[in-house]
Amino acid sequence: MFYEEDFVEEVRQRNDVVDVISSYVNLKRTGSSYVGLCPFHNEKTASFSVSPGKQMYYCFGCGAGGNVFTFLMEYENLTFVEALEELAGKAGMELPRKSSSPEDRRKRDMRDMILQVNKLAANYFYAQLRSERGKIGFDYLTGRGISPKTVVKFGLGYSDSRLYRYMKEKGYQDAVLKETGLFTFDEKKGPYDKFWNRVMFPILDRNNRVIAFGGRVMGDAKPKYLNSPETLVFDKSRNLYGLNFVHGRQTAMIICEGYMDVIALHQAGFANAVASLGTAFTSQHCSLLKRYTDLVYLCYDSDGAGVKAAMRAIPMMKEAGLQVKVIDMRPYKDPDEFIRGLSPEAFQERIRQAKNSFFYELDQVREEYDMDDPESKTRFMNEAAKKCLTFDNEIERNNYMEAFAREYNVRIEDFRKLAAYHSAQLAGIDYEKRRRERGQPGVRNDREDGIARSQGIFLTWLSNDPVLFERTKDIISAEDFVDEPYRQVAGMMYEQFQNEGAVRPAVIISRFQSREEQSLVAGIFNKELQEITRDEEQKKALNEVIRSIKKYSLDYRSRHVTDLKELQELIEEKKRLQTLQIKL
């Protein structure tokens, strides 16, 4: 969904950054700002500052920063659009609709009705579990070690065969009930409940809306688990069971296979456990997890199917930039059995012992080779060397090769030669060239990094002392900022000053949607600078910054210019820069 810039700005203005953040963080007023403990990293001394004047926040400890949108995105793991829509709701603003066609209105209305039916169904199942009819379900759950408190937390229930009748009594038409996935409509038998004589697991989205259900039989009937089909409100590849209980950025997440595994782990104190919903792990799941953490513990069943599922999931997770470790459940099959058989403390120890996914994958490959046979062992070593080449980063690749050499008692020099041999076989070019051709960013030299820092420093100066706009306008302009996002920020600052005579940091931050960019931009406006008195030391420092930015800009333009006359003009400007006296 795309929203116009004017609407985004109105939402921001109606949500005071101090009011929003203070509902999550205990803030105390200090001068013109508010301070508190940063919610994005552990600290004992408050370094988290919120500025009502600039309508932004910044942490001087970890560098997190931005405006009211950024905070909600970071704290609640939302996309920009999700944060925008939530803040619009807080402000009582109606979201503009891009389309008002009859079909779009019909879909919106149907989604709302499906959510209504799902909520009613969840309440119905929960009530049935506590009734005499549902005692069989309640006894089953308590027999599996689920406490009454956990039953309430997860809203667990029991399905008899009377939900359809209940919904008809509530006035819902078959056209709506068909879309919920809760019922089967048969030409001969007529409509009837899809779930019956099962314990029920409501599936909630991040906003705690019931979007689907899972049901488990209590005997040996098949299928053991029955899940809602996909509907207008439920996409199984984009949701994870238990994710509604996870708030804020996590140190790690635990990925399980089933509902009972998640529930058992939550009950044991591991509130960062989630599971996929009756489907194999997907790239969409990986993207969803990346919003919450950088480290994932795979806790799949220890049988053959669980190993295959892990081997499929690991490459996708690594592709998404997740670090992956695998928890060994043996001799138990799954986390549910493990917790009941041992203890939460034992599970915590298994987490500590979790195997790096690289070595887990190699362990599975090794099963195919006879390590007592020299030829078979050599083939395994070749496979391991080729696997090391999958790491694009040279330092990471070397670290894994060294770790493998230690694990398998191989001379590191010999293993590096083996890896180099396989690298040479890949398309006939060396591995570093392959990395460059894949578009991996090169390493910036010290001079380039210094120029980028200078650009950031000067923008900070400008934001703190707008008088500098007038004093330097004939020397440096927004076009002289070469690196991003400084170039974009400079363009917006110069435009704001020209049109309004002032810089509005929160508005500029809103133009950037990634958290990384927003934090970087927030840092520009929040760096600690002493009041600019323009004494000789300050003048000298500021002169050096301006000269370095201007010189690099002229060098950059000279390298890319194609017109001879323009090149001559740039050369003349460079000469003038050498003798230019900048009056500040």
Side-chain angles (χ1 to χ4, degrees):
M1 182 71 180
F2 172 79
Y3 293 102
E4 298 292 341
E5 189 174 308
D6 289 345
F7 178 74
V8 173
E9 178 59 14
E10 185 180 357
V11 172
R12 188 194 64 76
Q13 290 180 2
R14 290 205 194 180
N15 286 273
D16 182 79
V17 70
V18 176
D19 291 341
V20 172
I21 294 179
S22 62
S23 65
Y24 297 92
V25 179
N26 184 22
L27 298 175
K28 294 182 179 179
R29 191 175 188 102
T30 303
S32 61
S33 298
Y34 292 79
V35 298
L37 295 177
C38 180
F40 304 120
H41 79 288
N42 293 324
E43 63 175 8
K44 294 182 179 179
T45 303
S47 61
F48 184 78
S49 175
V50 184
S51 169
K54 296 179 179 179
Q55 281 296 297
M56 59 183 295
Y57 68 92
Y58 190 75
C59 175
F60 295 97
C62 69
N67 59 12
V68 68
F69 297 124
T70 320
F71 182 85
L72 216 59
M73 289 165 65
E74 187 72 17
Y75 193 90
E76 293 286 5
N77 291 290
L78 305 179
T79 64
F80 178 79
V81 171
E82 289 171 340
L84 174 70
E85 292 177 349
E86 184 158 323
L87 288 170
K90 287 179 181 292
M93 298 172 63
E94 185 175 346
L95 297 173
R97 299 295 184 181
K98 298 298 288 184
S99 172
S100 58
S101 68
E103 178 61 18
D104 287 333
R105 288 198 300 272
R106 187 197 70 80
K107 285 185 177 180
R108 288 198 297 270
D109 292 342
M110 183 59 73
R111 288 192 192 98
D112 291 342
M113 286 188 285
I114 292 173
L115 290 172
Q116 290 173 14
V117 171
N118 285 348
K119 184 177 180 180
L120 271 176
N123 291 334
Y124 177 84
F125 293 143
Y126 179 79
Q128 291 301 308
L129 184 71
R130 295 307 182 99
S131 70
E132 185 61 31
R133 183 186 292 269
K135 186 176 183 301
I136 183 177
F138 189 81
D139 290 345
Y140 170 81
L141 291 170
T142 55
R144 292 283 300 266
I146 305 301
S147 70
K149 183 178 179 181
T150 300
V151 168
V152 174
K153 175 182 176 179
F154 283 87
L156 305 182
Y158 171 78
S159 61
D160 54 15
S161 58
R162 299 185 298 174
L163 181 64
Y164 176 77
R165 185 192 312 169
Y166 176 77
M167 290 298 172
K168 295 300 288 185
E169 291 172 355
K170 292 293 182 180
Y172 287 96
Q173 301 298 313
D174 285 352
V176 173
L177 300 182
K178 282 181 181 179
E179 297 293 327
T180 66
L182 285 166
F183 310 98
T184 299
F185 286 80
D186 187 275
E187 290 185 4
K188 294 182 179 179
K189 296 181 181 179
Y192 59 90
D193 292 4
K194 183 182 183 71
F195 299 95
W196 55 276
N197 196 30
R198 291 174 182 267
V199 287
M200 298 297 293
F201 304 87
I203 299 165
L204 281 67
D205 66 7
R206 193 198 62 80
N207 295 314
N208 287 311
R209 299 178 303 184
V210 182
I211 56 175
F213 294 89
R216 191 197 192 285
V217 295
M218 291 160 287
D220 298 324
K222 301 294 181 181
K224 182 167 69 173
Y225 280 98
L226 188 62
N227 301 296
S228 290
E230 294 196 345
T231 67
L232 288 174
V233 301
F234 178 52
D235 181 345
K236 64 181 69 176
S237 67
R238 296 178 183 274
N239 289 280
L240 293 167
Y241 183 68
L243 194 61
N244 57 298
F245 295 112
V246 180
H247 300 288
R249 189 78 177 165
Q250 302 292 307
T251 304
M253 295 283 284
I254 301 173
I255 312 300
C256 311
E257 284 194 59
Y259 305 119
M260 291 298 293
D261 294 329
V262 171
I263 292 171
L265 287 176
H266 275 250
Q267 184 170 278
F270 301 94
N272 57 339
V274 295
S276 52
L277 296 159
T279 185
F281 218 76
T282 67
S283 58
Q284 291 97 322
H285 288 136
C286 297
S287 299
L288 183 59
L289 282 171
K290 184 64 177 173
R291 291 162 56 179
Y292 288 83
T293 189
D294 291 320
L295 173 61
V296 168
Y297 287 97
L298 277 181
C299 195
Y300 284 175
D301 291 359
S302 58
D303 57 13
V307 170
K308 288 181 180 179
M311 293 291 281
R312 286 193 301 268
I314 288 171
M316 286 188 289
M317 292 183 175
K318 292 171 75 173
E319 181 70 22
L322 292 164
Q323 180 187 356
V324 186
K325 294 188 176 183
V326 183
I327 301 173
D328 185 359
M329 290 288 95
R330 294 175 296 182
Y332 297 96
K333 180 186 177 184
D334 54 39
D336 180 31
E337 286 187 5
F338 187 97
I339 293 293
R340 285 188 287 142
L342 293 177
S343 65
E345 292 75 22
F347 187 81
Q348 184 64 57
E349 179 63 19
R350 290 294 178 96
I351 291 177
R352 192 187 67 79
Q353 297 171 353
K355 179 160 286 190
N356 178 287
S357 62
F358 173 78
F359 286 105
Y360 176 82
E361 290 178 293
L362 279 184
D363 285 349
Q364 307 312 313
V365 173
R366 188 180 59 183
E367 295 294 322
E368 303 173 13
Y369 297 92
D370 180 1
M371 299 301 286
D372 293 325
D373 176 63
E375 182 179 349
S376 182
K377 184 175 181 179
T378 300
R379 290 202 302 272
F380 169 69
M381 294 295 173
N382 277 282
E383 290 300 317
K386 287 187 280 189
K387 188 163 185 60
C388 284
L389 295 178
T390 61
F391 295 102
D392 286 346
N393 183 282
E394 183 177 1
I395 294 176
E396 185 179 21
R397 188 164 65 249
N398 285 331
N399 287 339
Y400 274 100
M401 286 196 288
E402 290 173 2
F404 177 86
R406 289 193 301 269
E407 179 83 8
Y408 287 89
N409 196 26
V410 179
R411 278 174 28 101
I412 183 60
E413 295 82 3
D414 295 337
F415 191 60
R416 282 203 177 104
K417 288 179 182 177
L418 185 60
Y421 167 78
H422 286 292
S423 177
Q425 303 302 306
L426 295 172
I429 57 176
D430 67 89
Y431 193 75
E432 285 304 309
K433 185 174 180 181
R434 287 178 67 245
R435 181 186 66 78
R436 291 194 296 273
E437 289 182 346
R438 287 177 179 175
Q440 296 291 337
V443 178
R444 292 174 61 92
N445 59 42
D446 291 341
R447 179 170 179 265
E448 290 173 326
D449 282 339
I451 296 299
R453 284 195 294 272
S454 294
Q455 293 174 61
I457 289 170
F458 187 60
L459 290 176
T460 302
W461 246 309
L462 285 175
S463 68
N464 281 269
D465 187 11
V467 173
L468 287 175
F469 279 101
E470 291 293 337
R471 294 182 181 269
T472 62
K473 67 180 181 180
D474 295 329
I475 304 167
I476 196 166
S477 67
E479 287 70 28
D480 290 311
F481 294 81
V482 175
D483 292 290
E484 297 292 0
Y486 304 113
R487 187 178 183 85
Q488 294 182 67
V489 174
M492 288 182 271
M493 287 178 64
Y494 276 81
E495 182 183 358
Q496 284 183 349
F497 184 79
Q498 182 178 353
N499 296 334
E500 306 174 36
V503 174
R504 295 192 293 157
V507 176
I508 293 175
I509 293 170
S510 293
R511 305 284 180 87
F512 298 88
Q513 293 202 7
S514 81
R515 299 172 187 174
E516 293 77 10
E517 287 181 324
Q518 289 183 343
S519 290
L520 192 154
V521 175
I524 291 173
F525 296 115
N526 281 273
K527 280 189 172 63
E528 293 284 2
L529 289 178
Q530 295 178 350
E531 184 179 352
I532 299 177
T533 58
R534 279 185 281 282
D535 57 22
E536 291 306 313
E537 186 176 345
Q538 288 281 3
K539 288 180 184 178
K540 182 179 178 181
L542 193 52
N543 262 277
E544 289 178 357
V545 168
I546 293 173
R547 286 180 187 278
S548 65
I549 294 173
K550 188 67 178 181
K551 185 178 184 304
Y552 188 75
S553 171
L554 293 171
D555 289 342
Y556 178 85
R557 288 153 62 191
S558 297
R559 291 196 302 269
H560 294 83
V561 71
T562 56
D563 182 78
L564 181 59
K565 183 180 179 181
E566 187 178 349
L567 178 60
Q568 289 174 337
E569 291 175 353
L570 290 171
I571 293 172
E572 290 299 319
E573 198 171 348
K574 286 183 184 180
K575 290 180 181 178
R576 290 194 297 271
L577 182 64
Q578 294 175 0
T579 58
L580 179 66
Q581 295 296 318
I582 305 174
K583 297 180 180 180
L584 301 171

